[in-house]
């Protein structure tokens, strides 16, 4: 029995309908699969346009072995700037461009920033850095400079790496020049009534333009650091980690510089820097120091001291008070382990 032309066309249309229906469903499924990738790509794009400067920065300072690493890491986790279980970090390439290994960083070594750029925790010991050996830290101590500020991480570069070819190929982000005003052209110049600096004594030039070039070991002027960021519209607070002097000296001699006399001089230098920041940006008020009137009542509190011993003794009640002072909304409590105990035993 032969099919009429009309029936043949009807049957052909039915088959084509099934084909187009399945094809449209397949395309829709593919679109659904592609959408998350497109979203991630767009999110990455917007992250790449994120400001170099965080809206809120808390910089933890302290003499070496003052407990500043513990404090910075605690604040990093509590503020959401640092993951509780640490983060994977790939170490930078060496002089010969050999790739660095990937490690798990469990403490805030230098800085940690929340994914949205809202808050950043910086950690700077006074002095910060290493000359390669503890003995060389002692030998080169006298020439250790004090810089104005620790700049945002993407704009930071060691001066000894500034001639490495593969580092020269990695240009500084535009935000280092446009937002942070780090440029040899702007250094020590006054623009619109503001005097801009690179944050350190050595501004990058040529292929290093936009980078602040730092020595291997340096002090940071806490007062100047606060003012450097305020000038750029950042809400900043310096947190000063303070610990028993005999304990910090013992730790410094053991881990940083074995010459006790030199270590003591560095500690005194660091404490002078921190004390000056409290005079200038501590709790506002009028007072006398050594018979000299001092008035910082027109300044907002930007320097806060934290006692390591009080933190160990009072635990979370003191810690939560620190959170409130810094505007951190958190109930995170670290494992309090008194690091003084081993030094006290050694001295008894």
């Amino acid at each position: 029995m032969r099919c009429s032309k009309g029936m043949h066309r009807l049957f052909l249309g039915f088959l084509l309908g099934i084909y187009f229906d399945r094809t449209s469903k397949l395309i829709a499924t593919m679109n659904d699969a592609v959408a998350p990738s497109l979203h991630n790509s767009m999110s990455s794009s917007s992250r790449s346009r994120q400001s170099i400067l965080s809206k809120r920065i808390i910089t933890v300072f302290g003499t070496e072995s003052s407990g500043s690493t513990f404090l910075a890491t605690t604040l990093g986790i509590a503020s959401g700037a640092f993951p509780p279980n640490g983060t994977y970090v790939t170490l930078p390439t060496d002089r010969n461009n050999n790739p660095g290994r990937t490690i798990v960083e469990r403490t805030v070594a230098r800085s940690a920033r929340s994914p949205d750029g809202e808050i950043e925790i910086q950690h700077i010991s006074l002095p910060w850095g290493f000359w390669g050996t503890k003995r060389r830290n002692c030998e080169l101590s006298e020439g250790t400079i004090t810089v104005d500020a620790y700049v945002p991480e993407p704009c930071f570069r060691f001066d000894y790496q500034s001639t490495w070819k593969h580092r020269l190929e990695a240009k500084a982000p535009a935000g280092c020049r446009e937002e942070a005003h780090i440029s040899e052209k702007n250094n020590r110049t006054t623009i619109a009534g503001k005097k801009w600096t690179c944050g350190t004594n050595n501004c990058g030039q040529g292929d290093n333009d936009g980078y602040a070039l730092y020595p291997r070991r340096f002090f940071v002027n806490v007062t100047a650091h606060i003012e450097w960021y305020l000038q750029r519209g950042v809400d900043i607070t310096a947190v000063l980690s303070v610990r028993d002097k005999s304990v910090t000296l013992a730790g410094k001699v053991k881990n940083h510089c074995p010459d006790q006399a030199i270590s003591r001089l560095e500690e005194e230098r660091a404490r002078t820097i921190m004390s000056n920041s409290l005079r200038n940006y501590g709790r506002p008020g009028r007072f006398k120091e050594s018979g000299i009137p001092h008035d910082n009542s027109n300044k907002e509190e930007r320097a806060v001291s934290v006692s390591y011993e009080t933190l160990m003794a009072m635990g979370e009640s003191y810690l939560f008070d620190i959170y409130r002072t810094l505007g951190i909304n958190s109930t995170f409590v670290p494992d309090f382990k008194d690091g003084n105990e081993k030094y006290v035993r050694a001295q008894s």
Side-chain angles (χ1 to χ4, degrees):
M1 178 176 163
R2 297 178 61 186
C3 295
S4 66
K5 288 184 178 180
M7 289 291 292
H8 179 76
R9 288 171 180 165
L10 182 63
F11 181 68
L12 182 61
F14 176 72
L15 290 177
L16 286 173
I18 293 174
Y19 170 78
F20 284 120
D21 180 62
R22 288 182 176 176
T23 301
S24 63
K25 288 179 179 178
L26 178 62
I27 292 172
T29 303
M30 291 173 65
N31 284 339
D32 287 342
V34 170
S37 300
L38 181 61
H39 173 74
N40 290 339
S41 172
M42 291 173 69
S43 297
S44 300
S45 174
S46 61
R47 278 197 297 272
S48 68
R49 293 193 298 271
Q50 195 177 76
S51 172
I52 286 292
L53 298 168
S54 300
K55 291 183 178 180
R56 172 81 168 123
I57 291 180
I58 297 171
T59 310
V60 178
F61 291 98
T63 60
E64 290 175 313
S65 300
S66 66
S68 57
T69 300
F70 172 77
L71 182 57
T73 304
T74 298
L75 297 179
I77 295 171
S79 65
F82 190 74
N85 297 318
T87 182
Y88 285 101
V89 174
T90 300
L91 299 177
T93 54
D94 63 13
R95 179 184 292 276
N96 299 314
N97 203 20
N98 296 313
R101 58 195 178 93
T102 298
I103 62 171
V104 178
E105 194 170 81
R106 301 198 182 278
T107 61
V108 176
R110 203 159 64 188
S111 70
R113 191 183 193 192
S114 63
D116 58 7
E118 288 291 317
I119 188 165
E120 179 178 348
I121 305 297
Q122 297 175 336
H123 169 224
I124 303 293
S125 293
L126 298 174
W128 189 93
F130 196 61
W131 281 112
T133 68
K134 291 182 281 187
R135 177 56 61 185
R136 278 182 61 79
N137 283 349
C138 298
E139 293 169 351
L140 299 173
S141 173
E142 191 174 345
T144 305
I145 67 169
T146 300
V147 301
D148 287 343
Y150 168 71
V151 301
E153 187 73 21
C155 313
F156 178 100
R157 176 169 280 178
F158 285 113
D159 53 10
Y160 74 92
Q161 298 174 347
S162 63
T163 58
W164 296 0
K165 182 180 177 182
H166 61 283
R167 292 293 169 89
L168 293 174
E169 293 171 353
K171 308 301 181 188
C176 294
R177 291 178 292 274
E178 296 167 3
E179 298 172 40
H181 298 278
I182 298 172
S183 169
E184 177 63 26
K185 179 182 177 182
N186 292 339
N187 191 39
R188 308 292 174 187
T189 60
T190 301
I191 302 173
K194 295 181 178 180
K195 188 174 183 179
W196 301 105
T197 76
C198 292
T200 182
N201 298 0
N202 192 2
C203 291
Q205 302 180 44
D207 290 333
N208 284 302
D209 187 41
Y211 285 110
L213 306 181
Y214 287 79
R216 290 177 185 258
R217 190 165 165 85
F218 55 89
F219 287 87
V220 176
N221 183 328
V222 179
T223 297
H225 176 86
I226 292 169
E227 292 171 350
W228 196 90
Y229 278 100
L230 287 177
Q231 190 180 37
R232 288 156 177 79
V234 175
D235 179 14
I236 182 167
T237 302
V239 176
L240 313 176
S241 181
V242 182
R243 191 174 182 178
D244 182 273
K245 290 195 292 185
S246 62
V247 170
T248 58
L249 181 62
K252 186 178 178 73
V253 168
K254 179 182 178 182
N255 300 311
H256 301 282
C257 167
D259 188 307
Q260 189 170 101
I262 293 175
S263 287
R264 196 183 300 276
L265 286 173
E266 284 195 344
E267 290 237 307
E268 290 173 359
R269 183 175 171 184
R271 281 193 291 271
T272 298
I273 289 172
M274 292 193 294
S275 295
N276 286 339
S277 72
L278 278 177
R279 291 190 197 98
N280 291 305
Y281 285 98
R283 188 169 298 171
R286 297 178 177 84
F287 58 93
K288 283 188 176 183
E289 184 176 4
S290 302
I292 301 172
H294 186 85
D295 184 0
N296 70 343
S297 55
N298 63 335
K299 294 179 179 177
E300 188 176 350
E301 185 178 17
R302 296 282 178 183
V304 177
S305 62
V306 171
S307 165
Y308 178 85
E309 283 75 23
T310 306
L311 188 57
M312 290 300 115
M314 299 184 67
E316 64 182 61
S317 61
Y318 183 55
L319 179 63
F320 291 165
D321 188 56
I322 296 167
Y323 288 169
R324 284 191 292 270
T325 299
L326 298 174
I328 295 174
N329 184 15
S330 175
T331 56
F332 170 72
V333 178
D335 181 18
F336 291 107
K337 184 178 179 181
D338 190 353
N340 285 4
E341 188 177 343
K342 58 180 178 288
Y343 295 107
V344 173
R345 281 202 309 267
Q347 292 170 5
S348 60

PDB file of all heavy atoms in Angstrom, residues 260-285:
ATOM      1  N   GLN A 260      73.729  39.872  71.814  1.00  0.00           N
ATOM      2  CA  GLN A 260      72.742  40.439  72.736  1.00  0.00           C
ATOM      3  C   GLN A 260      72.764  41.963  72.740  1.00  0.00           C
ATOM      4  O   GLN A 260      71.706  42.602  72.811  1.00  0.00           O
ATOM      5  CB  GLN A 260      72.961  39.903  74.147  1.00  0.00           C
ATOM      6  CG  GLN A 260      71.850  40.283  75.107  1.00  0.00           C
ATOM      7  CD  GLN A 260      71.939  39.550  76.432  1.00  0.00           C
ATOM      8  OE1 GLN A 260      72.405  40.113  77.403  1.00  0.00           O
ATOM      9  NE2 GLN A 260      71.485  38.302  76.466  1.00  0.00           N
ATOM     10  N   ALA A 261      73.936  42.572  72.660  1.00  0.00           N
ATOM     11  CA  ALA A 261      74.032  44.036  72.685  1.00  0.00           C
ATOM     12  C   ALA A 261      73.349  44.649  71.467  1.00  0.00           C
ATOM     13  O   ALA A 261      72.602  45.632  71.580  1.00  0.00           O
ATOM     14  CB  ALA A 261      75.499  44.464  72.745  1.00  0.00           C
ATOM     15  N   ILE A 262      73.589  44.065  70.290  1.00  0.00           N
ATOM     16  CA  ILE A 262      72.967  44.575  69.064  1.00  0.00           C
ATOM     17  C   ILE A 262      71.461  44.339  69.106  1.00  0.00           C
ATOM     18  O   ILE A 262      70.662  45.205  68.718  1.00  0.00           O
ATOM     19  CB  ILE A 262      73.599  43.914  67.820  1.00  0.00           C
ATOM     20  CG1 ILE A 262      75.061  44.370  67.674  1.00  0.00           C
ATOM     21  CG2 ILE A 262      72.819  44.270  66.561  1.00  0.00           C
ATOM     22  CD1 ILE A 262      75.823  43.690  66.554  1.00  0.00           C
ATOM     23  N   SER A 263      71.054  43.170  69.578  1.00  0.00           N
ATOM     24  CA  SER A 263      69.620  42.866  69.687  1.00  0.00           C
ATOM     25  C   SER A 263      68.925  43.860  70.612  1.00  0.00           C
ATOM     26  O   SER A 263      67.814  44.323  70.338  1.00  0.00           O
ATOM     27  CB  SER A 263      69.407  41.446  70.218  1.00  0.00           C
ATOM     28  OG  SER A 263      69.723  40.493  69.223  1.00  0.00           O
ATOM     29  N   ARG A 264      69.592  44.200  71.697  1.00  0.00           N
ATOM     30  CA  ARG A 264      69.004  45.139  72.652  1.00  0.00           C
ATOM     31  C   ARG A 264      68.818  46.523  72.006  1.00  0.00           C
ATOM     32  O   ARG A 264      67.790  47.170  72.196  1.00  0.00           O
ATOM     33  CB  ARG A 264      69.882  45.243  73.887  1.00  0.00           C
ATOM     34  CG  ARG A 264      69.200  45.888  75.091  1.00  0.00           C
ATOM     35  CD  ARG A 264      70.163  46.023  76.253  1.00  0.00           C
ATOM     36  NE  ARG A 264      70.690  44.739  76.682  1.00  0.00           N
ATOM     37  CZ  ARG A 264      70.063  43.919  77.516  1.00  0.00           C
ATOM     38  NH1 ARG A 264      68.874  44.256  78.000  1.00  0.00           N
ATOM     39  NH2 ARG A 264      70.616  42.776  77.881  1.00  0.00           N
ATOM     40  N   LEU A 265      69.819  46.944  71.218  1.00  0.00           N
ATOM     41  CA  LEU A 265      69.723  48.243  70.534  1.00  0.00           C
ATOM     42  C   LEU A 265      68.569  48.251  69.530  1.00  0.00           C
ATOM     43  O   LEU A 265      67.831  49.237  69.412  1.00  0.00           O
ATOM     44  CB  LEU A 265      71.038  48.561  69.822  1.00  0.00           C
ATOM     45  CG  LEU A 265      72.208  48.983  70.713  1.00  0.00           C
ATOM     46  CD1 LEU A 265      73.491  49.098  69.885  1.00  0.00           C
ATOM     47  CD2 LEU A 265      71.912  50.317  71.407  1.00  0.00           C
ATOM     48  N   GLU A 266      68.400  47.158  68.806  1.00  0.00           N
ATOM     49  CA  GLU A 266      67.292  47.072  67.839  1.00  0.00           C
ATOM     50  C   GLU A 266      65.948  47.098  68.556  1.00  0.00           C
ATOM     51  O   GLU A 266      64.994  47.708  68.066  1.00  0.00           O
ATOM     52  CB  GLU A 266      67.422  45.802  66.995  1.00  0.00           C
ATOM     53  CG  GLU A 266      68.493  45.880  65.920  1.00  0.00           C
ATOM     54  CD  GLU A 266      68.378  44.784  64.882  1.00  0.00           C
ATOM     55  OE1 GLU A 266      67.676  43.775  65.136  1.00  0.00           O
ATOM     56  OE2 GLU A 266      68.983  44.928  63.801  1.00  0.00           O
ATOM     57  N   GLU A 267      65.877  46.420  69.691  1.00  0.00           N
ATOM     58  CA  GLU A 267      64.627  46.425  70.465  1.00  0.00           C
ATOM     59  C   GLU A 267      64.286  47.837  70.936  1.00  0.00           C
ATOM     60  O   GLU A 267      63.126  48.260  70.862  1.00  0.00           O
ATOM     61  CB  GLU A 267      64.764  45.485  71.670  1.00  0.00           C
ATOM     62  CG  GLU A 267      64.801  44.025  71.299  1.00  0.00           C
ATOM     63  CD  GLU A 267      63.711  43.239  71.986  1.00  0.00           C
ATOM     64  OE1 GLU A 267      63.600  43.312  73.211  1.00  0.00           O
ATOM     65  OE2 GLU A 267      62.952  42.569  71.266  1.00  0.00           O
ATOM     66  N   GLU A 268      65.283  48.560  71.424  1.00  0.00           N
ATOM     67  CA  GLU A 268      65.047  49.931  71.888  1.00  0.00           C
ATOM     68  C   GLU A 268      64.589  50.823  70.735  1.00  0.00           C
ATOM     69  O   GLU A 268      63.691  51.659  70.893  1.00  0.00           O
ATOM     70  CB  GLU A 268      66.319  50.492  72.522  1.00  0.00           C
ATOM     71  CG  GLU A 268      66.666  49.832  73.855  1.00  0.00           C
ATOM     72  CD  GLU A 268      68.020  50.279  74.396  1.00  0.00           C
ATOM     73  OE1 GLU A 268      68.697  51.099  73.711  1.00  0.00           O
ATOM     74  OE2 GLU A 268      68.403  49.818  75.487  1.00  0.00           O
ATOM     75  N   ARG A 269      65.191  50.625  69.583  1.00  0.00           N
ATOM     76  CA  ARG A 269      64.799  51.396  68.393  1.00  0.00           C
ATOM     77  C   ARG A 269      63.349  51.106  68.018  1.00  0.00           C
ATOM     78  O   ARG A 269      62.572  52.009  67.714  1.00  0.00           O
ATOM     79  CB  ARG A 269      65.739  51.045  67.242  1.00  0.00           C
ATOM     80  CG  ARG A 269      65.511  51.826  65.952  1.00  0.00           C
ATOM     81  CD  ARG A 269      66.590  51.453  64.947  1.00  0.00           C
ATOM     82  NE  ARG A 269      66.314  52.001  63.625  1.00  0.00           N
ATOM     83  CZ  ARG A 269      67.059  51.751  62.555  1.00  0.00           C
ATOM     84  NH1 ARG A 269      68.132  50.966  62.655  1.00  0.00           N
ATOM     85  NH2 ARG A 269      66.747  52.283  61.377  1.00  0.00           N
ATOM     86  N   ALA A 270      62.970  49.833  68.055  1.00  0.00           N
ATOM     87  CA  ALA A 270      61.598  49.436  67.716  1.00  0.00           C
ATOM     88  C   ALA A 270      60.593  50.016  68.709  1.00  0.00           C
ATOM     89  O   ALA A 270      59.533  50.530  68.325  1.00  0.00           O
ATOM     90  CB  ALA A 270      61.488  47.917  67.686  1.00  0.00           C
ATOM     91  N   ARG A 271      60.930  49.950  70.005  1.00  0.00           N
ATOM     92  CA  ARG A 271      60.001  50.470  71.009  1.00  0.00           C
ATOM     93  C   ARG A 271      59.844  51.986  70.905  1.00  0.00           C
ATOM     94  O   ARG A 271      58.766  52.522  71.167  1.00  0.00           O
ATOM     95  CB  ARG A 271      60.455  50.049  72.408  1.00  0.00           C
ATOM     96  CG  ARG A 271      60.102  48.605  72.747  1.00  0.00           C
ATOM     97  CD  ARG A 271      60.274  48.332  74.232  1.00  0.00           C
ATOM     98  NE  ARG A 271      61.684  48.366  74.609  1.00  0.00           N
ATOM     99  CZ  ARG A 271      62.485  47.300  74.577  1.00  0.00           C
ATOM    100  NH1 ARG A 271      62.018  46.139  74.176  1.00  0.00           N
ATOM    101  NH2 ARG A 271      63.745  47.404  74.956  1.00  0.00           N
ATOM    102  N   THR A 272      60.911  52.678  70.533  1.00  0.00           N
ATOM    103  CA  THR A 272      60.818  54.131  70.334  1.00  0.00           C
ATOM    104  C   THR A 272      59.864  54.451  69.191  1.00  0.00           C
ATOM    105  O   THR A 272      59.028  55.357  69.293  1.00  0.00           O
ATOM    106  CB  THR A 272      62.216  54.726  70.033  1.00  0.00           C
ATOM    107  OG1 THR A 272      63.065  54.506  71.158  1.00  0.00           O
ATOM    108  CG2 THR A 272      62.124  56.217  69.749  1.00  0.00           C
ATOM    109  N   ILE A 273      59.959  53.697  68.096  1.00  0.00           N
ATOM    110  CA  ILE A 273      59.066  53.894  66.950  1.00  0.00           C
ATOM    111  C   ILE A 273      57.612  53.672  67.360  1.00  0.00           C
ATOM    112  O   ILE A 273      56.724  54.465  67.018  1.00  0.00           O
ATOM    113  CB  ILE A 273      59.457  52.937  65.802  1.00  0.00           C
ATOM    114  CG1 ILE A 273      60.786  53.372  65.171  1.00  0.00           C
ATOM    115  CG2 ILE A 273      58.358  52.890  64.739  1.00  0.00           C
ATOM    116  CD1 ILE A 273      61.344  52.375  64.163  1.00  0.00           C
ATOM    117  N   MET A 274      57.354  52.605  68.112  1.00  0.00           N
ATOM    118  CA  MET A 274      55.983  52.298  68.526  1.00  0.00           C
ATOM    119  C   MET A 274      55.471  53.326  69.535  1.00  0.00           C
ATOM    120  O   MET A 274      54.305  53.743  69.465  1.00  0.00           O
ATOM    121  CB  MET A 274      55.913  50.883  69.096  1.00  0.00           C
ATOM    122  CG  MET A 274      56.156  49.798  68.050  1.00  0.00           C
ATOM    123  SD  MET A 274      55.705  48.114  68.601  1.00  0.00           S
ATOM    124  CE  MET A 274      56.900  47.848  69.895  1.00  0.00           C
ATOM    125  N   SER A 275      56.331  53.743  70.465  1.00  0.00           N
ATOM    126  CA  SER A 275      55.924  54.756  71.451  1.00  0.00           C
ATOM    127  C   SER A 275      55.540  56.064  70.774  1.00  0.00           C
ATOM    128  O   SER A 275      54.557  56.711  71.157  1.00  0.00           O
ATOM    129  CB  SER A 275      57.062  55.006  72.452  1.00  0.00           C
ATOM    130  OG  SER A 275      57.310  53.855  73.220  1.00  0.00           O
ATOM    131  N   ASN A 276      56.304  56.449  69.759  1.00  0.00           N
ATOM    132  CA  ASN A 276      55.989  57.681  69.031  1.00  0.00           C
ATOM    133  C   ASN A 276      54.623  57.598  68.349  1.00  0.00           C
ATOM    134  O   ASN A 276      53.876  58.580  68.297  1.00  0.00           O
ATOM    135  CB  ASN A 276      57.071  57.974  67.986  1.00  0.00           C
ATOM    136  CG  ASN A 276      58.360  58.477  68.600  1.00  0.00           C
ATOM    137  OD1 ASN A 276      58.363  58.985  69.726  1.00  0.00           O
ATOM    138  ND2 ASN A 276      59.469  58.331  67.887  1.00  0.00           N
ATOM    139  N   SER A 277      54.275  56.422  67.844  1.00  0.00           N
ATOM    140  CA  SER A 277      52.966  56.276  67.189  1.00  0.00           C
ATOM    141  C   SER A 277      51.830  56.402  68.199  1.00  0.00           C
ATOM    142  O   SER A 277      50.762  56.941  67.887  1.00  0.00           O
ATOM    143  CB  SER A 277      52.878  54.931  66.453  1.00  0.00           C
ATOM    144  OG  SER A 277      52.779  53.842  67.361  1.00  0.00           O
ATOM    145  N   LEU A 278      52.054  55.918  69.426  1.00  0.00           N
ATOM    146  CA  LEU A 278      51.036  56.073  70.472  1.00  0.00           C
ATOM    147  C   LEU A 278      50.872  57.541  70.864  1.00  0.00           C
ATOM    148  O   LEU A 278      49.766  58.003  71.123  1.00  0.00           O
ATOM    149  CB  LEU A 278      51.399  55.241  71.696  1.00  0.00           C
ATOM    150  CG  LEU A 278      51.047  53.750  71.659  1.00  0.00           C
ATOM    151  CD1 LEU A 278      51.543  53.063  72.912  1.00  0.00           C
ATOM    152  CD2 LEU A 278      49.551  53.541  71.492  1.00  0.00           C
ATOM    153  N   ARG A 279      51.985  58.277  70.921  1.00  0.00           N
ATOM    154  CA  ARG A 279      51.895  59.705  71.234  1.00  0.00           C
ATOM    155  C   ARG A 279      51.093  60.443  70.172  1.00  0.00           C
ATOM    156  O   ARG A 279      50.302  61.330  70.475  1.00  0.00           O
ATOM    157  CB  ARG A 279      53.297  60.319  71.313  1.00  0.00           C
ATOM    158  CG  ARG A 279      54.119  59.854  72.493  1.00  0.00           C
ATOM    159  CD  ARG A 279      55.380  60.683  72.644  1.00  0.00           C
ATOM    160  NE  ARG A 279      56.339  60.004  73.510  1.00  0.00           N
ATOM    161  CZ  ARG A 279      57.366  59.276  73.067  1.00  0.00           C
ATOM    162  NH1 ARG A 279      57.563  59.141  71.774  1.00  0.00           N
ATOM    163  NH2 ARG A 279      58.183  58.696  73.927  1.00  0.00           N
ATOM    164  N   ASN A 280      51.310  60.068  68.925  1.00  0.00           N
ATOM    165  CA  ASN A 280      50.673  60.791  67.823  1.00  0.00           C
ATOM    166  C   ASN A 280      49.274  60.289  67.479  1.00  0.00           C
ATOM    167  O   ASN A 280      48.408  61.075  67.093  1.00  0.00           O
ATOM    168  CB  ASN A 280      51.565  60.709  66.573  1.00  0.00           C
ATOM    169  CG  ASN A 280      52.847  61.491  66.712  1.00  0.00           C
ATOM    170  OD1 ASN A 280      52.835  62.676  66.999  1.00  0.00           O
ATOM    171  ND2 ASN A 280      53.975  60.826  66.534  1.00  0.00           N
ATOM    172  N   TYR A 281      49.048  58.979  67.593  1.00  0.00           N
ATOM    173  CA  TYR A 281      47.769  58.420  67.153  1.00  0.00           C
ATOM    174  C   TYR A 281      47.138  57.484  68.180  1.00  0.00           C
ATOM    175  O   TYR A 281      46.229  56.721  67.855  1.00  0.00           O
ATOM    176  CB  TYR A 281      47.952  57.686  65.818  1.00  0.00           C
ATOM    177  CG  TYR A 281      48.102  58.644  64.656  1.00  0.00           C
ATOM    178  CD1 TYR A 281      49.357  58.966  64.158  1.00  0.00           C
ATOM    179  CD2 TYR A 281      46.981  59.250  64.094  1.00  0.00           C
ATOM    180  CE1 TYR A 281      49.494  59.858  63.107  1.00  0.00           C
ATOM    181  CE2 TYR A 281      47.107  60.140  63.031  1.00  0.00           C
ATOM    182  CZ  TYR A 281      48.373  60.439  62.553  1.00  0.00           C
ATOM    183  OH  TYR A 281      48.496  61.337  61.507  1.00  0.00           O
ATOM    184  N   GLY A 282      47.602  57.549  69.447  1.00  0.00           N
ATOM    185  CA  GLY A 282      46.958  56.772  70.498  1.00  0.00           C
ATOM    186  C   GLY A 282      45.653  57.418  70.908  1.00  0.00           C
ATOM    187  O   GLY A 282      45.136  58.312  70.224  1.00  0.00           O
ATOM    188  N   ARG A 283      45.102  56.986  72.017  1.00  0.00           N
ATOM    189  CA  ARG A 283      43.829  57.528  72.490  1.00  0.00           C
ATOM    190  C   ARG A 283      43.930  59.044  72.630  1.00  0.00           C
ATOM    191  O   ARG A 283      44.821  59.552  73.294  1.00  0.00           O
ATOM    192  CB  ARG A 283      43.456  56.888  73.826  1.00  0.00           C
ATOM    193  CG  ARG A 283      42.064  57.248  74.311  1.00  0.00           C
ATOM    194  CD  ARG A 283      41.678  56.366  75.475  1.00  0.00           C
ATOM    195  NE  ARG A 283      41.627  54.969  75.078  1.00  0.00           N
ATOM    196  CZ  ARG A 283      41.477  53.954  75.932  1.00  0.00           C
ATOM    197  NH1 ARG A 283      41.387  54.199  77.229  1.00  0.00           N
ATOM    198  NH2 ARG A 283      41.422  52.709  75.495  1.00  0.00           N
ATOM    199  N   PRO A 284      43.035  59.805  71.985  1.00  0.00           N
ATOM    200  CA  PRO A 284      43.151  61.270  71.970  1.00  0.00           C
ATOM    201  C   PRO A 284      43.081  61.890  73.365  1.00  0.00           C
ATOM    202  O   PRO A 284      42.376  61.405  74.242  1.00  0.00           O
ATOM    203  CB  PRO A 284      41.955  61.710  71.120  1.00  0.00           C
ATOM    204  CG  PRO A 284      41.577  60.509  70.310  1.00  0.00           C
ATOM    205  CD  PRO A 284      41.897  59.329  71.179  1.00  0.00           C
ATOM    206  N   GLY A 285      43.846  62.978  73.538  1.00  0.00           N
ATOM    207  CA  GLY A 285      43.818  63.699  74.813  1.00  0.00           C
ATOM    208  C   GLY A 285      45.036  64.589  74.976  1.00  0.00           C
ATOM    209  O   GLY A 285      45.956  64.569  74.165  1.00  0.00           O
TER     210      GLY A 285
END
